[in-house]
Amino acid sequence: MASKAYSLSVCVAIGVCLLIVGCAPLPRRIAATHLSCETYPKLVDGDLATNSFLKVKGFIEKDNPAYRHSLRYGDWVEGKHKTEALIQVDTLTHVAYLEVHPISTIYHLSVETSTAETAQGKARLFEPVTSHKIARSENGAVIRIDIDRPVRMLRVAIHVNRDLARTTREPLTRKTKVSFEDVVIREIRVYQ
């Protein structure tokens, strides 16, 4: 008798869970026609066969080790050590999450959102997504970042590593310049 009551209560609990989960709407992908990215349009074109090469406009400069007592001895970054993509949604939309489909290994990815439109190429106020402060991907694994807020603009920032294969040395100053690796992403998909 006790086992029948237990199995009945388990069945009722499972039924209630299925009813609750079944009633919740599933997230839908926002169509590529409702997204735009001025700098890297292939990022949101809806086609996983295309690639976007995100360039980093910066490098690391290393002084000549013979001048260790110089005030400028050491490494310093000229420009930026990250690349950014601004993705605009055509109307203010509640975004559940986004998926980044990279080809490159990503060591540090962060996302910020804004409810305002762009003003001369830049959105006004961005708020960081705190569900994932830093996201990583190795060997092309998809990164999912939960957002769960109204969004008009998304700013995806990727901090990159040094590309030691592209190191140059200036013969006169004997300074060394080390470039940063470019980032290759197939697609960024946004879900509402």
Side-chain angles (χ1 to χ4, degrees):
M1 186 84 155
S3 67
K4 281 186 178 182
Y6 175 74
S7 62
L8 181 63
S9 63
V10 168
C11 289
V12 170
I14 290 173
V16 169
C17 288
L18 289 175
L19 182 63
I20 291 171
V21 172
C23 294
L26 294 174
R28 288 182 328 197
R29 186 164 63 117
I30 297 174
T33 55
H34 298 290
L35 301 172
S36 63
C37 181
E38 190 174 310
T39 313
Y40 306 104
K42 290 181 182 179
L43 263 183
V44 292
D45 66 356
D47 187 4
L48 286 173
T50 60
N51 296 327
S52 293
F53 293 87
L54 284 69
K55 302 280 185 190
V56 179
K57 297 176 181 163
F59 58 89
I60 292 182
E61 190 170 74
K62 299 167 121 326
D63 254 339
N64 182 352
Y67 299 111
R68 289 186 184 172
H69 302 292
S70 167
L71 292 175
R72 287 195 56 170
Y73 173 71
D75 297 356
W76 61 92
V77 177
E78 296 285 334
K80 291 184 175 183
H81 66 290
K82 66 180 178 179
T83 183
E84 294 179 348
L86 285 175
I87 299 170
Q88 185 165 328
V89 184
D90 61 355
T91 60
L92 185 64
T93 305
H94 186 85
V95 173
Y97 62 91
L98 67 86
E99 289 180 347
V100 179
H101 296 261
I103 292 177
S104 302
T105 297
I106 294 178
Y107 300 100
H108 181 152
L109 180 137
S110 60
V111 177
E112 298 173 316
T113 65
S114 175
T115 56
E117 288 188 46
T118 57
Q120 299 175 352
K122 293 186 178 180
R124 295 189 178 99
L125 177 67
F126 281 99
E127 294 180 28
V129 174
T130 56
S131 64
H132 293 281
K133 292 184 180 177
I134 299 173
R136 293 179 172 82
S137 169
E138 291 188 28
N139 302 323
V142 175
I143 301 170
R144 177 181 161 160
I145 298 181
D146 296 324
I147 296 175
D148 196 28
R149 64 172 81 154
V151 171
R152 183 75 160 101
M153 295 285 302
L154 292 158
R155 180 165 53 194
V156 178
I158 302 168
H159 296 260
V160 295
N161 287 334
R162 301 174 188 198
D163 187 359
L164 298 177
R166 296 189 324 187
T167 302
T168 59
R169 181 176 287 235
E170 295 179 8
L172 295 176
T173 61
R174 300 192 62 181
K175 291 182 179 179
T176 304
K177 288 186 180 179
V178 181
S179 299
F180 291 108
E181 295 177 346
D182 294 332
V183 177
V184 184
I185 296 178
R186 290 190 313 229
E187 187 75 21
I188 294 180
R189 292 184 168 177
V190 183
Y191 292 82
Q192 65 181 20

